[in-house]
Amino acid sequence: GDGKGAGPRYCPSLFSKVERFPEREAHIVWLEPEGLDSDWVYPNGISSAFPPDVQLRLVRSMVGLEGATILKPAYDVEYDYVDPTCLRRTLEVSTVEGLFLAGQIIGTTGYEEAAALGLVAGANAALSCSRGPPLTVGRHQGYIGVLVDDLVTRGTTEPYRMFTSRAEWRLMLRADNADARLTPLGAACGLVGERRLERLREKQAA
């Protein structure tokens, strides 16, 4: 496409790959069935926004796909985003009381990032209505804390992904202690019920 924005670094388009690695003479494409009850096949590795006729020529240039038909042409999406440094750690816009943002609109990419931010923003939106204490996670308490802190203090100039390498406390942020780290936080703001909190107490007392 003709987009001028920075694309996601970790799933670049075919155009970006050719532009960055012009010396390569071959490129792997994975043909992935769309489902058990579908005859659609997704060619993973050639994401692009070329005109449909160019996409068809590209697909048919591959051995075994000479007679293929494209059911849905590929496309690019370019979008503006809100600078996340305008947010509080609750993900509330600092200049607009009651407006909470999460996901792509604050510069992230990825399902997990959107889910984590949506949890924080949604919880804090509800808590602001009930005048309850906000939900904030520290960098030492979880990857959600690293994600939020990076965004609201540093901002981003490209679609942000959360990697373990971004967390200075990553040796402590493990799956086997997630309950001990996060259950009390969830309980304090009403996201965790008494039954789960009691299970944590029993585990810690054992």
Side-chain angles (χ1 to χ4, degrees):
D2 297 321
K4 299 297 184 285
R9 182 186 302 232
Y10 306 100
C11 48
S13 68
L14 180 62
F15 178 84
S16 298
K17 292 174 182 177
V18 172
E19 192 175 49
R20 286 163 58 184
F21 306 105
E23 74 283 359
R24 301 289 173 88
E25 297 181 356
H27 179 66
I28 296 175
V29 177
W30 291 268
L31 299 179
E32 302 176 350
E34 285 286 308
L36 295 175
D37 301 319
S38 172
D39 57 1
W40 288 32
V41 175
Y42 175 69
N44 189 346
I46 56 171
S47 61
S48 69
F50 297 125
D53 62 308
V54 174
Q55 293 185 40
L56 185 60
R57 291 207 310 272
L58 173 64
V59 169
R60 288 182 174 176
S61 71
M62 296 181 228
V63 176
L65 300 183
E66 296 85 354
T69 300
I70 294 181
L71 299 172
K72 227 182 237 190
Y75 58 91
D76 270 352
V77 175
E78 185 174 33
Y79 55 89
D80 290 328
Y81 71 104
V82 175
D83 181 352
T85 60
C86 77
L87 303 175
R88 298 189 172 99
R89 291 181 188 278
T90 59
L91 300 183
E92 182 180 28
V93 178
S94 58
T95 56
V96 185
E97 184 179 353
L99 177 61
F100 295 80
L101 303 178
Q104 286 185 326
I105 196 162
I106 58 172
T108 65
T109 182
Y111 299 115
E112 299 84 1
E113 289 80 359
L117 293 168
L119 175 68
V120 173
N124 281 316
L127 289 165
S128 72
C129 293
S130 63
R131 304 299 176 189
L135 169 63
T136 56
V137 181
R139 296 182 70 93
H140 65 292
Q141 294 174 303
Y143 286 107
I144 290 178
V146 177
L147 170 63
V148 171
D149 185 68
D150 278 355
L151 289 169
V152 303
T153 61
R154 303 176 186 180
T156 184
T157 57
E158 63 177 324
Y160 181 102
R161 291 303 311 257
M162 179 67 244
F163 295 113
T164 56
S165 59
R166 296 185 190 272
E168 60 274 27
W169 297 86
R170 58 185 168 273
L171 295 181
M172 295 177 60
L173 305 181
R174 306 186 310 274
D176 65 342
N177 65 12
D179 54 353
R181 288 184 286 109
L182 299 172
T183 301
L185 287 178
C189 64
L191 290 177
V192 173
E194 185 59 34
R195 183 178 177 188
R196 175 166 290 194
L197 192 57
E198 185 58 33
R199 281 168 53 192
L200 175 63
R201 293 188 187 117
E202 291 172 358
K203 175 183 173 182
Q204 292 175 325

